[in-house]
Amino acid sequence: MPARRQLLAIIAALGLLLTTLVPCRAQTLTARQSEAVANYERTLGDFKTILAERRRQIDAKQPLPNLPGQALYLARVAVISAYKDLTDAMPSRIGRPNKFEIPPAYFDADIEPLVDEYSKLFEIMEAPPAGAQNSATPFKDVVDLAVAIARAKGLAPDHAEAAGRISLGLFFAETNGKQNVRNGRSNTYMGSFQTGPSEDRNGRRKWETIKAEIAAADPGLSARDDKEEARARGTDHRFNHWTNVRDGLMNAHADVFREIPGIVKTLPDPIDQMKLFELIQIVPTPTRSALKSGDLLNYRVSSPTIMKHLRNNSIFAFGQADRARTSASFREILGAMWLFKRKFEKAMAKYAEIKPR
């Protein structure tokens, strides 16, 4: 009997040895896999290095380079791209979900702290200038202005409310809901809605054409506008939250508000509606063409310039397979805007707080 137990113990030990040896043989990497692993480790190291460098410069109050966020942004794109290439080569490397709601094939949840540091550095680099004119009600301002503009454009109350909700999504998409911020990656686009000087001027001109109509419909909002206009006089209007939101909406989005009844039928999901209006911000011409086509979701873009603009805004930007795309339908573009989803969810939550006003 003892001999039988001893034999069984030997067999069990051999089985355990086999289970440890077989996976080792199975993990022999191909050349493509080895290259993907090495590339991910290199880009991850580069990301850590630039994060540490910016943190050291900021903490030491050293002068930052021009566009100090650009190197950070490119390093983040590179590490996400390299991870996607790694999981394409080795699907077993796809890990657990992450708090940023990035598809796990694109992002290793173990590096969440690095992206948290990335966000903290951008908050410092993009802090509003000393003379910025904040609002005590920044989220309500966005909704109120959008609703008033939409009503002036002829929308019924429910569709005007959709315009308010969508516009709040734009605020979060552009600045994470922070007012009067600068831009770590651009010397042109600034403020709550991240507009350039010409866009701001164009929005102001368009506002003047509907101001009287809005004053008749909503005297209270018009009085607030007069107050903010006087407050911003002689300054960069982009660093007054109210005037920047107003002019940003008038410049790029107000005319498209008329399309909201059709948009909500085609895209019943409020987050998809926000995505579409963010595309008005990123690639306005093809987005307007898609809306006019009568077949929004199947409308296809293939211009290299447009594809470049999409990639520069984190759409089809990560991994060799995505970056090799030469065209995309709007259905595919909306699906690829997963990096915006968390921002839009925050906007939806904030809108739910504001709506009972």
Side-chain angles (χ1 to χ4, degrees):
M1 207 55 184
R4 184 171 180 274
R5 281 200 298 269
Q6 187 175 20
L7 178 61
L8 289 173
I10 293 172
I11 292 172
L14 286 172
L16 178 62
L17 179 63
L18 285 173
T19 62
T20 57
L21 290 177
V22 170
C24 290
R25 289 206 311 267
Q27 287 176 7
T28 302
L29 303 183
T30 66
R32 178 191 174 204
Q33 290 170 336
S34 296
E35 182 181 355
V37 170
N39 188 45
Y40 180 63
E41 291 175 352
R42 177 182 60 78
T43 58
L44 183 57
D46 291 344
F47 189 38
K48 292 177 180 178
T49 298
I50 188 62
L51 288 171
E53 180 183 357
R54 283 292 176 274
R55 173 56 67 182
R56 177 183 56 77
Q57 291 170 331
I58 288 171
D59 289 349
K61 302 189 185 309
Q62 294 178 350
L64 298 180
N66 183 42
L67 306 182
Q70 184 67 359
L72 287 174
Y73 170 79
L74 293 176
R76 188 198 64 159
V77 169
V79 79
I80 296 176
S81 293
Y83 190 73
K84 180 60 165 59
D85 290 337
L86 174 60
T87 59
D88 282 347
M90 301 175 65
S92 62
R93 287 294 298 265
I94 298 174
R96 67 185 187 279
N98 56 84
K99 68 180 182 180
F100 304 114
E101 300 183 36
I102 298 173
Y106 288 82
F107 188 79
D108 181 358
D110 288 344
I111 71 166
E112 285 178 353
L114 297 181
V115 178
D116 286 336
E117 172 69 353
Y118 172 93
S119 299
K120 292 174 184 175
L121 291 172
F122 264 90
E123 283 189 18
I124 296 168
M125 294 184 295
E126 297 186 334
Q133 298 174 342
N134 281 0
S135 168
T137 54
F139 306 109
K140 182 176 181 296
D141 292 353
V142 174
V143 175
D144 287 350
L145 279 163
V147 169
I149 292 168
R151 293 290 284 153
K153 294 293 181 179
L155 267 67
D158 57 338
H159 290 133
E161 288 294 329
R165 182 182 64 239
I166 289 166
S167 298
L168 193 59
L170 295 174
F171 182 31
F172 275 86
E174 292 298 314
T175 69
N176 284 311
K178 297 179 175 66
Q179 58 181 320
N180 293 326
V181 297
R182 290 176 287 188
N183 192 318
R185 297 179 54 214
S186 172
N187 292 325
T188 300
Y189 299 102
M190 304 286 176
S192 298
F193 261 53
Q194 294 290 286
T195 54
S198 62
E199 295 168 326
D200 187 67
R201 288 192 298 270
N202 187 51
R204 290 173 69 183
R205 285 194 298 268
K206 288 185 174 182
W207 174 256
E208 289 301 319
T209 67
I210 66 168
K211 182 173 171 55
E213 186 177 352
I214 285 181
D218 192 338
L221 186 139
S222 182
R224 168 73 186 281
D225 184 68
D226 290 341
K227 179 180 176 181
E228 295 296 339
E229 188 68 37
R231 184 184 179 206
R233 188 170 297 125
T235 70
D236 187 337
H237 273 53
R238 294 176 301 162
F239 290 115
N240 173 292
H241 173 72
W242 177 276
T243 57
N244 186 237
V245 169
R246 180 198 71 190
D247 298 339
L249 287 173
M250 289 303 303
N251 171 71
H253 306 287
D255 290 338
V256 188
F257 282 169
R258 295 191 181 98
E259 307 295 329
I260 284 178
I263 289 170
V264 298
K265 287 182 179 179
T266 304
L267 300 173
D269 184 344
I271 287 182
D272 282 342
Q273 297 161 20
M274 293 175 179
K275 288 180 181 179
L276 184 68
F277 271 81
E278 179 62 14
L279 290 173
I280 294 287
Q281 193 94 340
I282 297 170
V283 285
T285 300
T287 305
R288 289 191 176 96
S289 297
L291 284 167
K292 293 176 182 176
S293 72
D295 192 8
L296 169 65
L297 292 175
N298 291 315
Y299 187 88
R300 200 162 196 88
V301 296
S302 56
S303 161
T305 300
I306 298 304
M307 296 301 290
K308 179 181 177 181
H309 286 322
L310 292 172
R311 291 191 179 99
N312 196 45
N313 285 274
S314 301
I315 304 166
F316 303 128
F318 307 109
Q320 295 178 18
D322 282 358
R323 295 185 70 85
R325 279 180 168 270
T326 58
S327 69
S329 69
F330 267 75
R331 188 189 306 276
E332 292 167 331
I333 294 169
L334 293 171
M337 294 177 73
W338 38 261
L339 210 55
F340 291 87
K341 182 183 176 185
R342 190 162 176 255
K343 297 180 179 183
F344 292 146
E345 288 173 341
K346 290 180 180 178
M348 291 286 290
K350 183 60 67 175
Y351 182 77
E353 295 176 16
I354 294 169
K355 190 174 180 182
R357 68 190 184 283

